[in-house]
Amino acid sequence: MDKHYLTPLFQPDTIAIFVGDHDDPDQQTNHARNLTAALTAQPFTGKFVFLDIHTSGTLAELAQTRADLAIIALPPTEAVAALEVAGRIKCKAALVIGSGANADVAADMHQVARRHGMQLLGPNSLGFQRPRIGLNASVAGPLTRVGPLALVSQSGALTSSILDWASQNGVGFSTVVSLSPKTAVDIAQVLDFLASDAQTHSIVVYMEGISNARRFMSALRAAANAKPVVVLKAGRKPAGNAAAQTHSGAIVGSDDVFDAALRRAGAVRVRSFVELFSAAKCLASRYRPVGKRLAIVTNGGGPGVLAADWVSEIGLQLGKLLPEAVAALQPQMPALATLNDLIDVSEEATAEHYRAAIDAAGRDKTVDGVLVVHSPKAGVDAADVARAMAELKPQLSKPLLCCWMGDASVGEAREVLGKANIPSFRTPEAAVGAFGNIASFYQNQQLLQQTPPPLSTLAKPDIEGARLLIENVLTERRKVLTEMESKALLSAFHIPVTQTILARSANEAMMIATQLGYPVALKIDSPDISHKSDVNGVALNVLNATAVRDGYNTMLQAVAKLQPGAKINGVTIQKMAQSKRGRELCIGLVTDDPFGPVIAFGAGGTMIELIDDRAMELPPLNQFLARRLIERSRVAETLGAWRGATAVDMDMLEHVLLRVSEMVCELPQLREMDINPIIVDENGAVAVDARIVIEGSPATARNYAHLAILPYPARYEQVWPLRGGGEYTIRPIHPDDAQMLQDLVQNLSPESRYYRFVSSMTELPASMLSRLTLIDYDREMALVAIHRTRQAGQDGERVETERVVGVSRYITNPDKSSCEFSLVVADDFNGKGLGSRLMLSIMEEARDKGLTEIEGLVLANNPSMLKLMKGLGYQIKPFPEDPDFKLVTHSL
């Protein structure tokens, strides 16, 4: 049960191959002929069984055949019959090669596969390759060489092209998978398999679209947490939605949202085919996480300046040596060397000069990576310089990249660099771009580690009041909230708003304005008008009662002329915000298909579409994510002290973003929202105008089903009494628990470790530790028992320390209705009721998710665990696949 459910597909021992008549001239027969040749062109570590559904005997005879995987290369109608046969001989997976299956035939295949519990790759697939076991189950070309990269592609043509390119460039793969639009096994499931595949060190993905954002994000986050993932996406759409009813909806395009999703998942996005493999090559080097500061060592000013220009162009920083490092290095350099910005070792530099410069940059704490740009020079052996780099590389803890310019004279040098696994590029821009991908990976990994709850630690919002307001609007069959309703919704979440009062006549407007105090702003109030300024529906800095009266009447006339059918509720009056140097910002919400709600931030005001400043993040947010969202916007540069203006209250701005995140999480009816402008200065923030669009939502949305990333499930945190005195807390695990989980495992007795992991390991490997603490709360759950004690600190004061003393977890099985559990309790906490409580809690959570059965494997020689299972009402049965285990199950 420890094997991944796709193991029978990608790591089969026996394969049943269904092919037709090779003499038939149609295209499907071509596929069958090519497939047979591809399968038998090299030795396979398993066994092949060739079957023909027309001549392979009776079902009784076929029943004697057993296989893990069925590979079918038949016309679509015959392929359905072959799938039935594959199901009856107990195949756990099937691959349907070829083309021509329409939607109806594909649906029939999916139904057959579901009925027999088979994982189906196809139809209309080119297949897959697993070079290490000699398996070429594809018609995409010859078996590629063995390597650490995995390729997942949603384009058959591109798969073949990449394999052809790779064969000429020395690139090898652990796995190659070609996915068709109608396949049952989708990109999320393949990523999930590759995340735990020991042969795969990094993953490159070419994709055109996804059908289920939650499942895709879940798998991508798991994969990117375990190894680098680089994504090339086709079909980038321009920003803009003509039907949008808010500014945010008009300027945010689906490609922007995809960017935000990949960042949050910890993956790296590239824009071109060439970048795809250069990024994977660099990230597969497994350099430690780095920042943005790239030092450039060069023997030519021109190429060095080109590299420095590109550093600035893509948002990196030029790494400069500290003054003391410059002073120490200068005597070792040629007389013409300059070291203040670029590390220009001059045209006279030899291999030893390069070695000294690279070593200095590698040791400097202000440098995150080193790029060596070398131009051919008479009297300097480029291969010697490359050998110096290769010798120095093991001593460096930072990324080392190079750009060897030229061609004829640097061939040997490139070979030396390739053997040393030093990424080498032919242009400065490509090399800098590759380092940019490494830096992006580090930054995105920081985003990946964030697991915010749906509600922040700020004062509790009035969620029920907000839901009641929305229900009232929907009852009136409206979707667009008025300005006053929008501001009431913001107020329910403690977002500061300007006081706004609706006037239904010119006289009312004058009285309200007088009470509020001048100057005031007048705004048309209509559910049919999205952008008030477009219909002359805004008047600012109105100074007296006469101007209010005239402005009211003029506004109604202008709106009636420019938008005659609009329903007019009246005119809202609000006092002008009195911030002379406040910054006008916009915080918005858009709903993307398929990623759901996305929070947007940028410059606000009436020219928002022209400025086109938007940064985006998927909810939920915490303070770290809110700060990063602000930093990605162009307007961020104006938020500090700027041209005589005091720096804005960043804490308050972050709090507003956290409040918007709370709204998005708790109000699934929200579709679009603009807070524009929200004026921010050193004293705080205030929403001057707001517009919100809503729609009805299904009941499941209350469980955050509308979000692409499930929030941290803080609602499962509970405090329980400890048998013998004291108490402990059970709560869902999060990434910060990694060291406490490691301590728990290290302090277990050898017997307890073996019972839990069926292994003699003394500690969790880093990759496994990361995988166990950063989980997807949608498809799995881990509950930790935290015991707190107070101990004397170094200064004599008593400090509280936390310790993980038990963990229960489950992972949902592929059938989506059952799950597999595990349990471990610290030895010194055995017999105190923790095991029972952890199991009951994890069962309750699984029941809450809609699962119907929980199961697990227990070593037959673990009597205390078997006793616990029996006491909890589990059925204990022999495990057919291994007599050393018992299978324990419980209905939920």
Side-chain angles (χ1 to χ4, degrees), residues 119-457:
Q119 302 296 331
L120 174 61
L121 181 59
N124 300 347
S125 173
L126 291 190
F128 68 89
Q129 297 186 2
R130 293 278 282 172
R132 194 174 294 276
I133 61 173
L135 178 57
N136 184 5
S138 79
V139 289
L143 184 66
T144 184
R145 68 179 69 193
V146 175
L149 289 179
L151 168 65
V152 185
S153 172
Q154 288 184 324
S155 164
L158 199 64
T159 303
S160 299
S161 301
I162 288 173
L163 292 181
D164 188 53
W165 173 87
S167 68
Q168 298 299 313
N169 287 272
V171 176
F173 297 92
S174 65
T175 309
V176 176
V177 184
S178 175
L179 296 171
S180 67
K182 297 181 175 67
T183 181
V185 171
D186 62 12
I187 192 168
Q189 292 168 290
V190 175
L191 285 172
D192 192 62
F193 172 81
L194 294 173
S196 56
D197 179 38
Q199 301 173 20
T200 300
H201 296 172
S202 53
I203 304 168
V204 292
V205 179
Y206 169 80
M207 62 183 299
E208 296 174 351
I210 59 171
S211 57
N212 186 306
R214 171 71 69 80
R215 197 165 65 216
F216 171 72
M217 289 296 289
S218 169
L220 183 59
R221 283 163 62 86
N225 185 44
K227 53 200 68 171
V229 180
V230 184
V231 179
L232 172 63
K233 181 182 179 292
R236 299 201 296 271
K237 286 199 263 180
N241 175 1
Q245 301 187 66
T246 63
H247 293 290
S248 297
I251 67 173
V252 172
S254 61
D255 203 54
D256 303 307
V257 178
F258 188 81
D259 264 348
L262 286 189
R263 274 196 307 270
R264 190 67 177 275
V268 173
R269 184 179 186 182
V270 295
R271 303 295 203 219
S272 70
F273 176 82
V274 174
E275 263 194 290
L276 186 66
F277 286 96
S278 67
K281 181 166 56 174
C282 292
L283 294 172
S285 303
R286 304 304 286 173
Y287 289 117
R288 69 172 181 80
V290 296
K292 294 182 174 182
R293 300 166 300 184
L294 178 64
I296 299 172
V297 178
T298 179
N299 68 338
V305 171
L306 286 175
D309 286 347
W310 202 245
V311 164
S312 175
E313 180 71 22
I314 65 173
L316 299 174
Q317 298 170 12
L318 186 63
K320 302 177 184 179
L321 296 179
L322 290 168
E324 52 267 33
V326 171
L329 181 60
Q330 194 76 61
Q332 305 175 54
M333 292 289 105
L336 296 178
T338 58
L339 309 176
N340 291 328
D341 292 319
L342 295 174
I343 306 174
D344 187 346
V345 294
S346 83
E347 295 183 356
E348 302 170 1
T350 64
E352 289 307 310
H353 293 128
Y354 272 99
R355 185 195 299 271
I358 296 167
D359 184 56
R363 294 174 184 275
D364 198 303
K365 63 184 181 182
T366 63
V367 170
D368 297 311
V370 183
L371 168 62
V372 179
V373 182
H374 177 79
S375 302
K377 303 293 180 184
V380 177
D381 190 339
D384 283 346
V385 177
R387 280 186 280 271
M389 289 181 63
E391 292 168 7
L392 195 58
K393 181 181 179 255
Q395 304 169 31
L396 295 178
S397 60
K398 300 173 183 177
L400 175 63
L401 302 88
C402 66
C403 169
W404 245 240
M405 302 189 73
D407 200 358
S409 63
V410 296
E412 183 185 353
R414 288 201 178 110
E415 287 183 16
V416 172
L417 295 167
K419 289 177 181 177
N421 288 322
I422 298 175
S424 175
F425 302 89
R426 293 175 182 266
T427 65
E429 293 85 354
V432 172
F435 177 79
N437 288 324
I438 299 175
S440 294
F441 177 65
Y442 166 55
Q443 292 160 11
N444 294 353
Q445 286 287 302
Q446 289 182 308
L447 301 182
L448 170 63
Q449 297 297 320
Q450 308 304 310
T451 54
L455 294 177
S456 67
T457 57

Side-chain angles (χ1 to χ4, degrees), residues 658-675:
L658 293 180
R659 292 302 193 183
V660 170
S661 173
E662 291 179 341
M663 292 179 69
V664 173
C665 292
E666 299 297 336
L667 305 176
Q669 302 92 338
L670 298 183
R671 290 296 175 269
E672 293 181 37
M673 178 169 69
D674 265 350
I675 308 175

